[in-house]
């Protein structure tokens, strides 16, 4: 009997510990926008309502995840899931060293980010969801045409080591989401859906040879230089890459 | 006691997050190498509607390409490229090689659809295999192959034209990029790998 009770308690604690990891999410309402890339004929893309983490995943959060999934620690992760620079700034498997516990975790591969979100019962946001949520400033759903907004983002791109800053230290946007611009770049589930000419991969022949249909994908607004930078960056990534300025946050279709 | 075990099983199965590498079933054989695609847990369905795990292909040389059957532009040429590779495989070792076409459009490419595509293209026999999975698994698989793709209209996709070769361990050993390119090196790599298998 006692055994039974102790197992029961163990299970309760187990469930509680899953819930303790829940990150705050903001509700993003359905809407449409014309993304910089990927729309076939400059027609608006509809983004369905979804939920997005208010903050990027932190070093502390990621450590908790690794403790439960040691196969994703820096010495154990399989080569197919992460390159050599995976968590390079961490001291060892279960210690992020002198890094700020509340700053975004970076140097994580797409596979690790994806797994983390799955373990929270969530997923990575799609590129369209991310861009849709990230075009909002404090007051407007779409601030992309505002000079101050673009200047802010571009000035961040010039700053160094913003990944050391604490989450929540940038502005809260229309949806209640922080840090989409200002700390780190973020993985999206379909980062590998970008087609840019002259991308880093060897495309010896012209693009039409390597990519079918590439001619139909064009920039809708080259003025949107900040977004262009993000797409170009994503286009240069591979799923096992990890770099110091690239983190992530999770999303969910239903309320979690 | 039974009840408790059951409860534990239920709780464990509720967690979407399983630590795959601690899988106890794979201890007998040689462990899967770090860079192997057999580390991917994904479930696939072939053109006969049969469910298969990638792992079941272990021990073969795999030649893989990602296509969608409703494609009018590059895919027929990619399929032709695959066929050209097949025609140059050494007959003695061909049995160790599988040529696999993976759909990037699982919504349209049902097993039935893949089957009729296979029959139309006279590829409904060894060494050809057609595979489809969920959108998420497909995205992950493409990520491993460094194949980019995007749905651009309800029926059309933009995608990289890459043919990938895997050794019997499931490690990527060669990629042929582009359409209608010279495939001598690709064929050499495949034949060399296939000869190593007894």
């Amino acid at each position: 009997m006692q055994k039974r009770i102790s197992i029961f308690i163990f299970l309760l604690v187990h469930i509680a510990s899953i819930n303790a990891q829940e990150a705050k999410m903001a509700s993003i309402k359905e809407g449409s926008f014309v993304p910089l890339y990927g729309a076939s004929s400059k027609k608006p893309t509809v983004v369905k309502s979804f939920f997005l983490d208010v903050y990027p995943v932190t070093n502390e959060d990621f450590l908790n995840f690794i403790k439960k999934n040691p196969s994703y620690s820096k010495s154990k992760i399989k080569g197919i899931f992460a390159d050599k620079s995976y968590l390079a700034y961490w001291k060892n498997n279960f210690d992020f060293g002198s890094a700020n516990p509340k700053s975004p975790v970076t140097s994580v591969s797409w596979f690790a980010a994806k797994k983390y979100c799955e373990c929270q019962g969530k997923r990575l946001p799609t590129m369209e969801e991310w861009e849709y949520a990230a075009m909002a400033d404090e007051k407007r759903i779409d601030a992309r045409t505002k000079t101050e907004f673009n200047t802010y983002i571009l000035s961040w791109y010039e700053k160094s080591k913003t990944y050391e800053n604490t989450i929540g230290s940038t502005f809260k946007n229309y949806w209640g989401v922080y840090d989409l611009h200002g700390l780190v770049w973020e993985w999206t589930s379909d980062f590998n859906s970008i087609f840019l000419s002259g991308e880093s991969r060897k495309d010896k022949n012209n693009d039409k040879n390597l990519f079918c249909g590439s001619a139909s994908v064009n920039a809708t607004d080259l003025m949107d230089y900040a977004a262009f930078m993000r797409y170009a960056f994503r286009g240069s990534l591979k799923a096992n890459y990890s770099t110091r300025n690239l983190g992530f946050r999770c999303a969910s279709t239903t309320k979690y | 006691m039974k009840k408790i075990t059951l409860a534990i099983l239920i709780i464990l199965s509720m967690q979407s997050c399983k630590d795959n590498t601690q899988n106890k079933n794979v201890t007998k054989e040689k462990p899967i190498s770090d860079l192997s695609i057999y580390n991917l847990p994904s479930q696939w369905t072939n053109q006969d509607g049969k469910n298969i795990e990638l792992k079941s292909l272990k021990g073969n040389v795999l030649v893989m390409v990602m296509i969608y059957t409703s494609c009018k532009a590059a895919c027929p040429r990619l399929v032709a490229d695959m066929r050209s590779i097949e025609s140059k495989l050494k007959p003695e070792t061909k049995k160790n090689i599988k040529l696999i076409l993976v759909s990037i459009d699982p919504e349209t490419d049902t097993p039935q659809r893949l089957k009729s595509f296979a029959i139309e293209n006279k590829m409904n026999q060894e060494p050809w295999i057609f595979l489809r999975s969920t959108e998420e698994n497909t995205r992950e698989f493409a990520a491993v192959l460094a194949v980019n793709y995007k749905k651009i209209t309800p029926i059309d996709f933009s995608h990289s034209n890459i043919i990938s070769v895997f050794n019997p361990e499931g490690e990527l050993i060669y990629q042929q990029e582009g359409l209608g390119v010279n495939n001598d090196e690709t064929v050499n790599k495949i034949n060399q790998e296939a000869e190593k298998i007894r």
Side-chain angles (χ1 to χ4, degrees):
Chain A
M1 191 59 200
Q2 203 155 25
K3 214 178 191 180
R4 220 177 251 217
I5 290 168
S6 62
I7 290 174
F8 186 66
I9 290 170
F10 166 78
L11 291 178
L12 275 184
V13 170
H14 189 69
I15 290 165
S17 75
I18 292 174
N19 290 338
Q21 269 202 329
E22 253 180 60
K24 264 192 277 172
M25 297 188 98
S27 162
I28 317 284
K29 293 275 168 293
E30 179 173 322
S32 62
F33 78 120
V34 179
L36 180 70
Y37 269 93
S40 48
S41 48
K42 299 182 185 181
K43 268 187 281 175
T45 300
V46 177
V47 175
K48 295 252 181 260
S49 296
F50 69 104
F51 296 86
L52 187 63
D53 282 356
V54 170
Y55 304 109
V57 173
T58 63
N59 285 313
E60 201 175 33
D61 297 335
F62 205 72
L63 179 61
N64 283 332
F65 159 74
I66 286 182
K67 280 178 181 162
K68 286 181 191 141
N69 301 274
S71 64
Y72 282 78
S73 60
K74 60 187 278 185
S75 75
K76 298 240 178 70
I77 194 158
K78 304 263 180 199
I80 193 171
F81 297 137
D83 65 9
K84 292 269 185 287
S85 57
Y86 179 72
L87 294 176
Y89 67 96
W90 283 40
K91 217 169 139 196
N92 58 46
N93 281 349
F94 303 105
D95 185 0
F96 47 76
S98 57
N100 177 355
K102 292 277 182 207
S103 63
V105 66
T106 63
S107 299
V108 287
S109 66
W110 177 81
F111 292 104
K114 180 172 177 283
K115 184 73 177 184
Y116 177 96
C117 293
E118 278 167 16
C119 287
Q120 313 293 308
K122 302 178 191 172
R123 58 176 173 79
L124 285 171
T126 65
M127 197 157 58
E128 275 165 2
E129 286 172 341
W130 196 97
E131 288 291 328
Y132 177 71
M135 68 185 187
D137 64 2
E138 290 99 324
K139 299 255 158 57
R140 286 165 291 238
I141 290 178
D142 187 355
R144 290 179 299 170
T145 54
K146 300 283 173 258
T147 321
E148 323 86 85
F149 184 62
N150 286 309
T151 316
Y152 170 80
I153 298 172
L154 288 171
S155 72
W156 161 49
Y157 290 172
E158 287 170 3
K159 282 186 206 128
S160 65
K161 296 194 174 178
T162 50
Y163 50 76
E164 287 174 352
N165 297 346
T166 303
I167 54 160
S169 59
T170 72
F171 70 94
K172 177 181 182 176
N173 83 2
Y174 175 88
W175 305 108
V177 179
Y178 286 86
D179 308 327
L180 287 165
H181 310 286
L183 296 186
V184 292
W185 304 67
E186 296 181 11
W187 280 112
T188 57
S189 60
D190 54 348
F191 77 98
N192 59 345
S193 62
I194 304 223
F195 296 90
L196 294 177
S197 60
E199 57 143 346
S200 60
R201 260 212 329 256
K202 45 171 181 178
D203 39 359
K204 290 160 259 164
N205 310 305
N206 67 34
D207 264 357
K208 273 190 196 127
N209 241 3
L210 190 56
F211 304 132
C212 115
S214 62
S216 50
V217 191
N218 278 310
T220 54
D221 185 5
L222 281 173
M223 293 297 284
D224 199 345
Y225 184 62
F228 180 79
M229 297 269 286
R230 284 196 297 278
Y231 282 86
F233 177 64
R234 290 179 191 132
S236 73
L237 291 171
K238 283 190 183 181
N240 62 347
Y241 282 10
S242 46
T243 75
R244 191 62 174 104
N245 61 353
L246 179 59
F248 70 101
R249 73 179 73 211
C250 307
S252 175
T253 307
T254 50
K255 193 162 178 96
Y256 177 63
Chain B
M1 197 58 205
K2 239 184 192 168
K3 260 189 211 164
I4 295 168
T5 354
L6 194 69
I8 293 174
L9 279 178
I10 289 169
I11 297 269
L12 287 178
S13 66
M14 264 160 49
Q15 285 177 283
S16 60
C17 155
K18 274 176 278 167
D19 214 341
N20 293 309
T21 51
Q22 271 149 30
N23 199 335
K24 285 161 205 130
N25 307 329
V26 276
T27 39
K28 270 183 203 160
E29 287 176 47
K30 211 166 111 185
I32 293 166
S33 95
D34 246 33
L35 289 168
S36 170
I37 48 164
Y38 303 126
N39 288 302
L40 297 171
S42 47
Q43 290 283 341
W44 297 80
T45 310
N46 70 9
Q47 73 269 31
D48 297 315
K50 222 178 105 192
N51 291 333
I52 69 162
E53 253 193 280
L54 276 185
K55 247 180 271 179
S56 66
L57 299 167
K58 200 172 166 218
N60 294 291
V61 177
L62 308 184
V63 186
M64 289 192 156
V65 69
M66 298 189 86
I67 54 136
Y68 62 106
T69 61
S70 43
C71 174
K72 299 277 181 297
C75 311
R77 292 174 61 196
L78 264 179
V79 171
D81 283 349
M82 287 288 277
R83 224 194 266 284
S84 162
I85 290 173
E86 194 230 351
S87 70
K88 295 179 186 174
L89 298 177
K90 282 194 189 148
E92 314 88 79
T93 49
K94 202 173 160 184
K95 60 176 191 323
N96 301 330
I97 303 163
K98 303 273 180 236
L99 287 97
I100 302 174
L101 295 94
V102 179
S103 171
I104 53 172
D105 184 13
E107 208 180 310
T108 314
D109 290 338
T110 57
Q112 294 87 329
R113 175 100 182 216
L114 292 176
K115 182 82 176 172
S116 47
F117 184 87
I119 293 168
E120 268 167 44
N121 287 279
K122 301 196 172 59
M123 295 162 109
N124 189 35
Q125 72 283 330
E126 292 281 318
W128 302 100
I129 300 176
F130 290 77
L131 294 179
R132 72 183 280 277
S133 188
T134 60
E135 252 168 65
E136 215 193 313
N137 287 341
T138 309
R139 184 57 74 187
E140 179 176 68
F141 194 67
V144 171
L145 265 56
V147 165
N148 285 20
Y149 69 92
K150 175 160 186 77
K151 199 169 197 162
I152 43 175
T153 70
I155 52 153
D156 258 317
F157 285 76
S158 185
H159 63 99
S160 327
N161 298 317
I162 299 179
I163 292 175
S164 308
V165 181
F166 294 87
N167 69 13
E169 303 301 315
E171 296 159 347
L172 183 63
I173 53 163
Y174 189 75
Q175 290 197 305
Q176 172 181 312
E177 296 189 12
L179 288 171
V181 297
N182 183 308
N183 61 17
D184 290 349
E185 204 178 335
T186 314
V187 172
N188 276 343
K189 291 269 179 196
I190 299 168
N191 282 331
Q192 275 167 21
E193 278 301 324
E195 266 166 43
K196 290 184 202 162
I197 306 171
R198 279 187 301 141

